[in-house]
Amino acid sequence: MTTTAGPAKQGGSLEQRLARLRAEFDRSFADPPRSEVAGYDDLLAIRAGGVRYALRLTQAAGLFPDRPVTRLPGPLPALLGVAGFRGSIVPVYALAAVFGTGGTPAVSDRNGDVPRWLVLAAGVPPVALAFEELDGHLRVPRDGLVEEAAGHGPHGCLRGIVPLPGGARPIVDVPAVRAAVQTAVGRVAAPPHTPEDR
């Protein structure tokens, strides 16, 4: 198993590591398929609510550090607010809060700041997921992943496992996270039932 970038805390400045990750991310979409990477999957190693996860790059449309988030009041505790991405206003949800592992998202770290990393989910409707730490980029042989036909974990949002020397990481299924958020929004938006409705 190979990794193209080590943990985010090792080697070079944060700006250099971020530039390298951006270049690798962009190249994964721009480069034509090559035989040496055809049998590999690219993932981000992340931490949300103190738990280690992996996230498939094919399910992400962008990775952004320290993006300003305009807070919004509302009944969904996972909703941090909205942020601008490529001319669009997108709701931002704390991944740990969606999973039920992060406490109150608005005070998710010692300084009361929102999680510093945002991943813009690929697909529609647009949604961004916030998490606290980026551990690095992983390029893993496809046959080294433990694939699962159905989701597990909170709201069925985890699908598959990537075994790594430092311990296995469950793989976040971004479309399932989007579906869980939409379900929660639908529950909040639904009018309460009254006896007259029956």
Side-chain angles (χ1 to χ4, degrees):
M1 165 178 329
T2 60
T3 59
T4 57
K9 296 180 181 175
Q10 296 178 358
S13 70
L14 174 62
E15 291 79 17
Q16 291 169 330
R17 291 191 302 272
L18 182 57
R20 187 170 57 245
L21 282 168
R22 277 192 185 126
E24 291 171 356
F25 181 85
D26 292 341
R27 193 168 45 249
S28 70
F29 291 99
D31 285 353
R34 297 172 298 181
S35 59
E36 64 266 26
V37 297
Y40 289 80
D41 278 337
D42 288 304
L43 303 102
L44 292 177
I46 67 169
R47 296 184 195 220
V51 181
R52 300 173 350 135
Y53 300 102
L55 191 149
R56 295 179 191 272
L57 279 182
T58 55
Q59 296 180 349
L63 176 67
F64 306 88
D66 304 318
R67 177 65 55 114
V69 175
T70 302
R71 296 181 191 240
L72 291 178
L76 282 181
L79 178 65
L80 296 175
V82 294
F85 296 94
R86 302 169 187 150
S88 298
I89 302 299
V90 176
V92 178
Y93 294 89
L95 187 59
V98 172
F99 289 171
T101 59
T104 305
V107 290
S108 59
D109 69 11
R110 292 185 300 273
N111 303 316
D113 297 328
V114 300
R116 72 166 301 210
W117 293 95
L118 301 181
V119 64
L120 182 61
V124 292
V127 65
L129 305 174
F131 56 93
E132 295 83 34
E133 294 183 53
L134 174 67
D135 291 334
H137 169 255
L138 306 171
R139 177 162 285 159
V140 181
R142 194 160 295 138
D143 60 4
L145 299 178
V146 178
E147 299 285 358
E148 295 176 304
H152 67 279
H155 310 292
C157 292
L158 303 176
R159 183 171 295 181
I161 298 170
V162 54
L164 296 169
R169 290 176 184 250
I171 300 172
V172 175
D173 183 18
V174 173
V177 174
R178 177 190 285 111
V181 166
Q182 288 180 294
T183 298
V185 169
R187 278 197 304 266
V188 169
H193 292 290
T194 62
E196 292 79 25
D197 294 333
R198 296 181 183 179

